[in-house]
mmCIF file of all heavy atoms in Angstrom:
data_model
loop_
_atom_site.group_PDB
_atom_site.id
_atom_site.type_symbol
_atom_site.label_atom_id
_atom_site.label_comp_id
_atom_site.label_asym_id
_atom_site.label_seq_id
_atom_site.Cartn_x
_atom_site.Cartn_y
_atom_site.Cartn_z
ATOM 1 N N ASP A 1 -159.586 -23.854 107.377
ATOM 2 C CA ASP A 1 -159.132 -22.463 107.512
ATOM 3 C C ASP A 1 -158.905 -21.833 106.140
ATOM 4 O O ASP A 1 -159.281 -20.678 105.905
ATOM 5 C CB ASP A 1 -157.834 -22.413 108.326
ATOM 6 C CG ASP A 1 -158.058 -22.684 109.805
ATOM 7 O OD1 ASP A 1 -159.179 -22.446 110.295
ATOM 8 O OD2 ASP A 1 -157.103 -23.130 110.467
ATOM 9 N N PHE A 2 -158.317 -22.601 105.236
ATOM 10 C CA PHE A 2 -158.040 -22.097 103.890
ATOM 11 C C PHE A 2 -159.338 -21.758 103.157
ATOM 12 O O PHE A 2 -159.481 -20.662 102.593
ATOM 13 C CB PHE A 2 -157.247 -23.133 103.093
ATOM 14 C CG PHE A 2 -157.122 -22.811 101.631
ATOM 15 C CD1 PHE A 2 -156.201 -21.874 101.184
ATOM 16 C CD2 PHE A 2 -157.938 -23.443 100.700
ATOM 17 C CE1 PHE A 2 -156.086 -21.566 99.834
ATOM 18 C CE2 PHE A 2 -157.833 -23.144 99.351
ATOM 19 C CZ PHE A 2 -156.909 -22.203 98.911
ATOM 20 N N TYR A 3 -160.300 -22.691 103.165
ATOM 21 C CA TYR A 3 -161.529 -22.464 102.399
ATOM 22 C C TYR A 3 -162.419 -21.414 103.039
ATOM 23 O O TYR A 3 -163.083 -20.646 102.331
ATOM 24 C CB TYR A 3 -162.281 -23.784 102.198
ATOM 25 C CG TYR A 3 -161.655 -24.643 101.135
ATOM 26 C CD1 TYR A 3 -160.961 -25.806 101.469
ATOM 27 C CD2 TYR A 3 -161.724 -24.277 99.792
ATOM 28 C CE1 TYR A 3 -160.367 -26.589 100.488
ATOM 29 C CE2 TYR A 3 -161.134 -25.060 98.810
ATOM 30 C CZ TYR A 3 -160.455 -26.210 99.155
ATOM 31 O OH TYR A 3 -159.860 -26.973 98.181
ATOM 32 N N LEU A 4 -162.444 -21.343 104.349
ATOM 33 C CA LEU A 4 -163.238 -20.298 104.982
ATOM 34 C C LEU A 4 -162.706 -18.926 104.606
ATOM 35 O O LEU A 4 -163.474 -18.009 104.287
ATOM 36 C CB LEU A 4 -163.226 -20.474 106.502
ATOM 37 C CG LEU A 4 -164.120 -19.511 107.289
ATOM 38 C CD1 LEU A 4 -165.575 -19.635 106.858
ATOM 39 C CD2 LEU A 4 -163.994 -19.775 108.789
ATOM 40 N N SER A 5 -161.400 -18.770 104.595
ATOM 41 C CA SER A 5 -160.791 -17.510 104.177
ATOM 42 C C SER A 5 -161.066 -17.241 102.704
ATOM 43 O O SER A 5 -161.375 -16.110 102.308
ATOM 44 C CB SER A 5 -159.284 -17.556 104.435
ATOM 45 O OG SER A 5 -158.647 -16.399 103.935
ATOM 46 N N LYS A 6 -160.992 -18.284 101.895
ATOM 47 C CA LYS A 6 -161.204 -18.142 100.451
ATOM 48 C C LYS A 6 -162.619 -17.657 100.142
ATOM 49 O O LYS A 6 -162.826 -16.769 99.314
ATOM 50 C CB LYS A 6 -160.938 -19.489 99.762
ATOM 51 C CG LYS A 6 -160.998 -19.461 98.237
ATOM 52 C CD LYS A 6 -160.662 -20.830 97.689
ATOM 53 C CE LYS A 6 -160.725 -20.862 96.169
ATOM 54 N NZ LYS A 6 -159.666 -20.060 95.534
ATOM 55 N N TYR A 7 -163.596 -18.234 100.835
ATOM 56 C CA TYR A 7 -164.981 -17.839 100.568
ATOM 57 C C TYR A 7 -165.302 -16.466 101.131
ATOM 58 O O TYR A 7 -166.228 -15.805 100.673
ATOM 59 C CB TYR A 7 -165.955 -18.879 101.129
ATOM 60 C CG TYR A 7 -166.165 -20.050 100.200
ATOM 61 C CD1 TYR A 7 -165.251 -21.108 100.167
ATOM 62 C CD2 TYR A 7 -167.248 -20.102 99.335
ATOM 63 C CE1 TYR A 7 -165.424 -22.175 99.304
ATOM 64 C CE2 TYR A 7 -167.435 -21.167 98.473
ATOM 65 C CZ TYR A 7 -166.515 -22.203 98.459
ATOM 66 O OH TYR A 7 -166.694 -23.255 97.593
ATOM 67 N N ASN A 8 -164.557 -16.038 102.110
ATOM 68 C CA ASN A 8 -164.781 -14.701 102.661
ATOM 69 C C ASN A 8 -164.103 -13.612 101.853
ATOM 70 O O ASN A 8 -164.576 -12.473 101.815
ATOM 71 C CB ASN A 8 -164.274 -14.643 104.113
ATOM 72 C CG ASN A 8 -165.218 -15.320 105.082
ATOM 73 O OD1 ASN A 8 -166.421 -15.383 104.841
ATOM 74 N ND2 ASN A 8 -164.680 -15.839 106.174
ATOM 75 N N ASP A 9 -162.989 -13.959 101.191
ATOM 76 C CA ASP A 9 -162.150 -12.927 100.570
ATOM 77 C C ASP A 9 -162.166 -12.914 99.046
ATOM 78 O O ASP A 9 -161.817 -11.915 98.437
ATOM 79 C CB ASP A 9 -160.693 -13.101 101.030
ATOM 80 C CG ASP A 9 -160.539 -12.968 102.534
ATOM 81 O OD1 ASP A 9 -161.410 -12.312 103.146
ATOM 82 O OD2 ASP A 9 -159.571 -13.523 103.089
ATOM 83 N N ASP A 10 -162.544 -14.028 98.428
ATOM 84 C CA ASP A 10 -162.451 -14.134 96.969
ATOM 85 C C ASP A 10 -163.797 -13.815 96.332
ATOM 86 O O ASP A 10 -164.756 -14.564 96.496
ATOM 87 C CB ASP A 10 -162.010 -15.551 96.591
ATOM 88 C CG ASP A 10 -161.682 -15.683 95.102
ATOM 89 O OD1 ASP A 10 -162.088 -14.798 94.330
ATOM 90 O OD2 ASP A 10 -161.025 -16.667 94.732
ATOM 91 N N PRO A 11 -163.907 -12.723 95.576
ATOM 92 C CA PRO A 11 -165.202 -12.342 94.984
ATOM 93 C C PRO A 11 -165.697 -13.319 93.925
ATOM 94 O O PRO A 11 -166.861 -13.279 93.545
ATOM 95 C CB PRO A 11 -164.903 -10.965 94.366
ATOM 96 C CG PRO A 11 -163.431 -10.952 94.139
ATOM 97 C CD PRO A 11 -162.835 -11.761 95.256
ATOM 98 N N LEU A 12 -164.825 -14.221 93.454
ATOM 99 C CA LEU A 12 -165.245 -15.191 92.451
ATOM 100 C C LEU A 12 -165.989 -16.363 93.076
ATOM 101 O O LEU A 12 -166.626 -17.144 92.383
ATOM 102 C CB LEU A 12 -164.018 -15.716 91.681
ATOM 103 C CG LEU A 12 -163.257 -14.667 90.866
ATOM 104 C CD1 LEU A 12 -162.066 -15.311 90.162
ATOM 105 C CD2 LEU A 12 -164.170 -13.998 89.841
ATOM 106 N N ASN A 13 -165.929 -16.502 94.395
ATOM 107 C CA ASN A 13 -166.631 -17.571 95.093
ATOM 108 C C ASN A 13 -167.965 -17.070 95.634
ATOM 109 O O ASN A 13 -168.189 -15.871 95.771
ATOM 110 C CB ASN A 13 -165.784 -18.084 96.264
ATOM 111 C CG ASN A 13 -164.669 -18.986 95.798
ATOM 112 O OD1 ASN A 13 -164.905 -20.079 95.310
ATOM 113 N ND2 ASN A 13 -163.447 -18.517 95.946
ATOM 114 N N ASP A 14 -168.862 -18.006 95.946
ATOM 115 C CA ASP A 14 -170.069 -17.648 96.677
ATOM 116 C C ASP A 14 -169.657 -17.060 98.023
ATOM 117 O O ASP A 14 -168.779 -17.596 98.695
ATOM 118 C CB ASP A 14 -170.942 -18.882 96.902
ATOM 119 C CG ASP A 14 -171.522 -19.415 95.605
ATOM 120 O OD1 ASP A 14 -172.146 -18.635 94.881
ATOM 121 O OD2 ASP A 14 -171.332 -20.615 95.336
ATOM 122 N N ASN A 15 -170.288 -15.985 98.398
ATOM 123 C CA ASN A 15 -170.005 -15.422 99.713
ATOM 124 C C ASN A 15 -170.582 -16.323 100.795
ATOM 125 O O ASN A 15 -171.709 -16.803 100.683
ATOM 126 C CB ASN A 15 -170.605 -14.019 99.836
ATOM 127 C CG ASN A 15 -169.856 -13.003 98.992
ATOM 128 O OD1 ASN A 15 -168.644 -13.108 98.833
ATOM 129 N ND2 ASN A 15 -170.573 -12.040 98.447
ATOM 130 N N PHE A 16 -169.821 -16.542 101.844
ATOM 131 C CA PHE A 16 -170.288 -17.341 102.974
ATOM 132 C C PHE A 16 -170.932 -16.412 103.986
ATOM 133 O O PHE A 16 -170.294 -15.494 104.501
ATOM 134 C CB PHE A 16 -169.131 -18.109 103.611
ATOM 135 C CG PHE A 16 -169.544 -18.907 104.809
ATOM 136 C CD1 PHE A 16 -170.156 -20.137 104.650
ATOM 137 C CD2 PHE A 16 -169.336 -18.428 106.101
ATOM 138 C CE1 PHE A 16 -170.544 -20.881 105.751
ATOM 139 C CE2 PHE A 16 -169.725 -19.157 107.203
ATOM 140 C CZ PHE A 16 -170.337 -20.389 107.031
ATOM 141 N N ASP A 17 -172.212 -16.652 104.261
ATOM 142 C CA ASP A 17 -172.970 -15.853 105.211
ATOM 143 C C ASP A 17 -173.178 -16.685 106.468
ATOM 144 O O ASP A 17 -173.970 -17.632 106.471
ATOM 145 C CB ASP A 17 -174.310 -15.447 104.598
ATOM 146 C CG ASP A 17 -175.134 -14.543 105.506
ATOM 147 O OD1 ASP A 17 -174.794 -14.425 106.701
ATOM 148 O OD2 ASP A 17 -176.140 -13.980 105.025
ATOM 149 N N SER A 18 -172.483 -16.358 107.540
ATOM 150 C CA SER A 18 -172.551 -17.173 108.753
ATOM 151 C C SER A 18 -173.929 -17.160 109.399
ATOM 152 O O SER A 18 -174.225 -18.002 110.240
ATOM 153 C CB SER A 18 -171.501 -16.695 109.768
ATOM 154 O OG SER A 18 -171.713 -15.339 110.115
ATOM 155 N N ASP A 19 -174.786 -16.231 109.005
ATOM 156 C CA ASP A 19 -176.137 -16.179 109.567
ATOM 157 C C ASP A 19 -177.061 -17.233 108.963
ATOM 158 O O ASP A 19 -178.052 -17.624 109.585
ATOM 159 C CB ASP A 19 -176.752 -14.792 109.365
ATOM 160 C CG ASP A 19 -176.091 -13.735 110.234
ATOM 161 O OD1 ASP A 19 -175.591 -14.088 111.321
ATOM 162 O OD2 ASP A 19 -176.073 -12.559 109.821
ATOM 163 N N LYS A 20 -176.761 -17.699 107.746
ATOM 164 C CA LYS A 20 -177.645 -18.671 107.112
ATOM 165 C C LYS A 20 -176.924 -19.882 106.520
ATOM 166 O O LYS A 20 -177.547 -20.918 106.291
ATOM 167 C CB LYS A 20 -178.486 -18.006 106.012
ATOM 168 C CG LYS A 20 -177.723 -17.614 104.762
ATOM 169 C CD LYS A 20 -178.663 -17.065 103.697
ATOM 170 C CE LYS A 20 -177.930 -16.752 102.390
ATOM 171 N NZ LYS A 20 -177.406 -17.980 101.732
ATOM 172 N N ASP A 21 -175.630 -19.765 106.255
ATOM 173 C CA ASP A 21 -174.890 -20.850 105.620
ATOM 174 C C ASP A 21 -174.259 -21.771 106.664
ATOM 175 O O ASP A 21 -174.237 -21.472 107.855
ATOM 176 C CB ASP A 21 -173.826 -20.278 104.682
ATOM 177 C CG ASP A 21 -174.435 -19.475 103.535
ATOM 178 O OD1 ASP A 21 -175.588 -19.773 103.154
ATOM 179 O OD2 ASP A 21 -173.769 -18.544 103.041
ATOM 180 N N GLU A 22 -173.744 -22.898 106.185
ATOM 181 C CA GLU A 22 -173.214 -23.934 107.076
ATOM 182 C C GLU A 22 -171.795 -24.305 106.662
ATOM 183 O O GLU A 22 -171.506 -24.479 105.478
ATOM 184 C CB GLU A 22 -174.092 -25.193 107.009
ATOM 185 C CG GLU A 22 -175.537 -24.987 107.443
ATOM 186 C CD GLU A 22 -175.682 -24.986 108.962
ATOM 187 O OE1 GLU A 22 -174.757 -25.453 109.653
ATOM 188 O OE2 GLU A 22 -176.744 -24.536 109.446
ATOM 189 N N PHE A 23 -170.920 -24.440 107.661
ATOM 190 C CA PHE A 23 -169.531 -24.836 107.420
ATOM 191 C C PHE A 23 -169.218 -26.011 108.348
ATOM 192 O O PHE A 23 -169.250 -25.865 109.563
ATOM 193 C CB PHE A 23 -168.587 -23.670 107.710
ATOM 194 C CG PHE A 23 -167.212 -23.828 107.112
ATOM 195 C CD1 PHE A 23 -166.817 -23.053 106.035
ATOM 196 C CD2 PHE A 23 -166.316 -24.753 107.633
ATOM 197 C CE1 PHE A 23 -165.555 -23.210 105.485
ATOM 198 C CE2 PHE A 23 -165.062 -24.913 107.088
ATOM 199 C CZ PHE A 23 -164.672 -24.138 106.010
ATOM 200 N N TRP A 24 -168.928 -27.167 107.755
ATOM 201 C CA TRP A 24 -168.777 -28.402 108.531
ATOM 202 C C TRP A 24 -167.465 -29.109 108.228
ATOM 203 O O TRP A 24 -166.997 -29.120 107.088
ATOM 204 C CB TRP A 24 -169.919 -29.358 108.220
ATOM 205 C CG TRP A 24 -171.216 -28.961 108.844
ATOM 206 C CD1 TRP A 24 -172.088 -27.998 108.414
ATOM 207 C CD2 TRP A 24 -171.794 -29.507 110.032
ATOM 208 N NE1 TRP A 24 -173.166 -27.915 109.256
ATOM 209 C CE2 TRP A 24 -173.022 -28.825 110.261
ATOM 210 C CE3 TRP A 24 -171.406 -30.510 110.917
ATOM 211 C CZ2 TRP A 24 -173.849 -29.130 111.345
ATOM 212 C CZ3 TRP A 24 -172.224 -30.813 111.998
ATOM 213 C CH2 TRP A 24 -173.431 -30.133 112.201
ATOM 214 N N LEU A 25 -166.899 -29.730 109.260
ATOM 215 C CA LEU A 25 -165.763 -30.633 109.138
ATOM 216 C C LEU A 25 -166.262 -32.048 109.411
ATOM 217 O O LEU A 25 -166.916 -32.294 110.431
ATOM 218 C CB LEU A 25 -164.652 -30.279 110.137
ATOM 219 C CG LEU A 25 -163.747 -29.085 109.815
ATOM 220 C CD1 LEU A 25 -164.540 -27.779 109.757
ATOM 221 C CD2 LEU A 25 -162.627 -28.987 110.837
ATOM 222 N N VAL A 26 -165.974 -32.975 108.503
ATOM 223 C CA VAL A 26 -166.425 -34.357 108.622
ATOM 224 C C VAL A 26 -165.194 -35.235 108.832
ATOM 225 O O VAL A 26 -164.319 -35.319 107.967
ATOM 226 C CB VAL A 26 -167.205 -34.793 107.368
ATOM 227 C CG1 VAL A 26 -167.552 -36.283 107.430
ATOM 228 C CG2 VAL A 26 -168.481 -33.958 107.226
ATOM 229 N N MET A 27 -165.138 -35.884 109.999
ATOM 230 C CA MET A 27 -163.926 -36.611 110.393
ATOM 231 C C MET A 27 -164.241 -38.008 110.903
ATOM 232 O O MET A 27 -165.371 -38.316 111.254
ATOM 233 C CB MET A 27 -163.192 -35.827 111.492
ATOM 234 C CG MET A 27 -162.751 -34.430 111.095
ATOM 235 S SD MET A 27 -162.051 -33.499 112.478
ATOM 236 C CE MET A 27 -163.527 -33.177 113.459
ATOM 237 N N ASP A 28 -163.186 -38.849 110.943
ATOM 238 C CA ASP A 28 -163.258 -40.205 111.482
ATOM 239 C C ASP A 28 -162.294 -40.329 112.659
ATOM 240 O O ASP A 28 -161.382 -39.517 112.823
ATOM 241 C CB ASP A 28 -162.855 -41.239 110.421
ATOM 242 C CG ASP A 28 -163.683 -41.134 109.151
ATOM 243 O OD1 ASP A 28 -164.835 -40.684 109.242
ATOM 244 O OD2 ASP A 28 -163.159 -41.507 108.085
ATOM 245 N N THR A 29 -162.486 -41.392 113.441
ATOM 246 C CA THR A 29 -161.580 -41.636 114.563
ATOM 247 C C THR A 29 -160.587 -42.763 114.284
ATOM 248 O O THR A 29 -159.753 -43.082 115.130
ATOM 249 C CB THR A 29 -162.369 -42.027 115.829
ATOM 250 O OG1 THR A 29 -162.994 -43.301 115.613
ATOM 251 C CG2 THR A 29 -163.413 -40.983 116.178
ATOM 252 N N ASP A 30 -160.658 -43.386 113.111
ATOM 253 C CA ASP A 30 -159.971 -44.656 112.905
ATOM 254 C C ASP A 30 -158.458 -44.595 113.091
ATOM 255 O O ASP A 30 -157.862 -45.513 113.614
ATOM 256 C CB ASP A 30 -160.318 -45.246 111.530
ATOM 257 C CG ASP A 30 -159.965 -44.326 110.374
ATOM 258 O OD1 ASP A 30 -159.877 -43.109 110.600
ATOM 259 O OD2 ASP A 30 -159.795 -44.824 109.246
ATOM 260 N N ARG A 31 -157.813 -43.511 112.660
ATOM 261 C CA ARG A 31 -156.345 -43.495 112.721
ATOM 262 C C ARG A 31 -155.776 -42.359 113.569
ATOM 263 O O ARG A 31 -154.651 -42.443 114.038
ATOM 264 C CB ARG A 31 -155.776 -43.382 111.299
ATOM 265 C CG ARG A 31 -155.929 -44.656 110.477
ATOM 266 C CD ARG A 31 -155.492 -44.438 109.056
ATOM 267 N NE ARG A 31 -156.371 -43.495 108.359
ATOM 268 C CZ ARG A 31 -156.150 -43.055 107.120
ATOM 269 N NH1 ARG A 31 -155.080 -43.444 106.470
ATOM 270 N NH2 ARG A 31 -156.998 -42.227 106.549
ATOM 271 N N HIS A 32 -156.517 -41.301 113.750
ATOM 272 C CA HIS A 32 -155.937 -40.119 114.375
ATOM 273 C C HIS A 32 -156.869 -39.528 115.430
ATOM 274 O O HIS A 32 -157.025 -38.309 115.510
ATOM 275 C CB HIS A 32 -155.631 -39.056 113.314
ATOM 276 C CG HIS A 32 -154.757 -39.551 112.203
ATOM 277 N ND1 HIS A 32 -153.406 -39.732 112.365
ATOM 278 C CD2 HIS A 32 -155.048 -39.910 110.929
ATOM 279 C CE1 HIS A 32 -152.890 -40.174 111.217
ATOM 280 N NE2 HIS A 32 -153.858 -40.285 110.340
ATOM 281 N N ALA A 33 -157.466 -40.377 116.246
ATOM 282 C CA ALA A 33 -158.414 -39.883 117.250
ATOM 283 C C ALA A 33 -157.757 -38.892 118.205
ATOM 284 O O ALA A 33 -158.413 -37.982 118.727
ATOM 285 C CB ALA A 33 -158.999 -41.056 118.035
ATOM 286 N N ASP A 34 -156.444 -39.058 118.428
ATOM 287 C CA ASP A 34 -155.750 -38.181 119.370
ATOM 288 C C ASP A 34 -155.679 -36.742 118.883
ATOM 289 O O ASP A 34 -155.447 -35.822 119.678
ATOM 290 C CB ASP A 34 -154.335 -38.705 119.627
ATOM 291 C CG ASP A 34 -153.524 -38.864 118.348
ATOM 292 O OD1 ASP A 34 -154.084 -39.397 117.374
ATOM 293 O OD2 ASP A 34 -152.349 -38.460 118.332
ATOM 294 N N LEU A 35 -155.863 -36.522 117.580
ATOM 295 C CA LEU A 35 -155.767 -35.177 117.017
ATOM 296 C C LEU A 35 -157.113 -34.451 116.989
ATOM 297 O O LEU A 35 -157.157 -33.247 116.714
ATOM 298 C CB LEU A 35 -155.193 -35.241 115.599
ATOM 299 C CG LEU A 35 -153.790 -35.846 115.456
ATOM 300 C CD1 LEU A 35 -153.411 -35.945 113.981
ATOM 301 C CD2 LEU A 35 -152.763 -35.012 116.219
ATOM 302 N N ILE A 36 -158.198 -35.174 117.237
ATOM 303 C CA ILE A 36 -159.522 -34.581 117.094
ATOM 304 C C ILE A 36 -159.780 -33.519 118.154
ATOM 305 O O ILE A 36 -160.464 -32.522 117.896
ATOM 306 C CB ILE A 36 -160.607 -35.681 117.122
ATOM 307 C CG1 ILE A 36 -160.537 -36.491 115.819
ATOM 308 C CG2 ILE A 36 -161.994 -35.095 117.294
ATOM 309 C CD1 ILE A 36 -161.552 -37.612 115.731
ATOM 310 N N HIS A 37 -159.240 -33.711 119.347
ATOM 311 C CA HIS A 37 -159.480 -32.753 120.429
ATOM 312 C C HIS A 37 -159.105 -31.335 120.004
ATOM 313 O O HIS A 37 -159.875 -30.383 120.229
ATOM 314 C CB HIS A 37 -158.686 -33.143 121.675
ATOM 315 C CG HIS A 37 -158.729 -32.111 122.762
ATOM 316 N ND1 HIS A 37 -159.840 -31.927 123.577
ATOM 317 C CD2 HIS A 37 -157.820 -31.161 123.139
ATOM 318 C CE1 HIS A 37 -159.605 -30.927 124.418
ATOM 319 N NE2 HIS A 37 -158.392 -30.449 124.177
ATOM 320 N N ASP A 38 -157.930 -31.171 119.396
ATOM 321 C CA ASP A 38 -157.486 -29.839 118.987
ATOM 322 C C ASP A 38 -158.394 -29.251 117.907
ATOM 323 O O ASP A 38 -158.626 -28.035 117.877
ATOM 324 C CB ASP A 38 -156.047 -29.895 118.471
ATOM 325 C CG ASP A 38 -155.042 -30.184 119.580
ATOM 326 O OD1 ASP A 38 -155.377 -29.931 120.752
ATOM 327 O OD2 ASP A 38 -153.942 -30.683 119.275
ATOM 328 N N VAL A 39 -158.907 -30.114 117.034
ATOM 329 C CA VAL A 39 -159.808 -29.640 115.980
ATOM 330 C C VAL A 39 -161.118 -29.158 116.586
ATOM 331 O O VAL A 39 -161.637 -28.091 116.223
ATOM 332 C CB VAL A 39 -160.064 -30.757 114.944
ATOM 333 C CG1 VAL A 39 -161.070 -30.284 113.900
ATOM 334 C CG2 VAL A 39 -158.757 -31.169 114.282
ATOM 335 N N ILE A 40 -161.666 -29.916 117.513
ATOM 336 C CA ILE A 40 -162.920 -29.523 118.167
ATOM 337 C C ILE A 40 -162.735 -28.221 118.940
ATOM 338 O O ILE A 40 -163.592 -27.323 118.909
ATOM 339 C CB ILE A 40 -163.415 -30.654 119.085
ATOM 340 C CG1 ILE A 40 -163.849 -31.852 118.231
ATOM 341 C CG2 ILE A 40 -164.560 -30.179 119.964
ATOM 342 C CD1 ILE A 40 -164.257 -33.055 119.031
#
């Protein structure tokens, strides 16, 4: 949430274009699988 807002609002960053760019979360299940549902 922080970085998506940063790339949308901060002119010093590359602008994020949702039509062509990609935003991904990379996660594991090893310790906190119960929390993944809310993230998805």
Side-chain angles (χ1 to χ4, degrees):
D1 287 335
F2 170 79
Y3 283 108
L4 185 59
S5 175
K6 185 178 179 68
Y7 277 82
N8 283 332
D9 299 336
D10 189 343
L12 297 180
N13 283 293
D14 292 307
N15 289 326
F16 178 80
D17 183 347
S18 59
D19 290 331
K20 71 176 184 66
D21 297 332
E22 299 280 343
F23 197 108
W24 285 79
L25 283 63
V26 174
M27 300 174 289
D28 304 332
T29 67
D30 58 337
R31 288 174 294 175
H32 305 284
D34 56 315
L35 300 175
I36 289 180
H37 172 76
D38 291 338
V39 176
I40 292 176

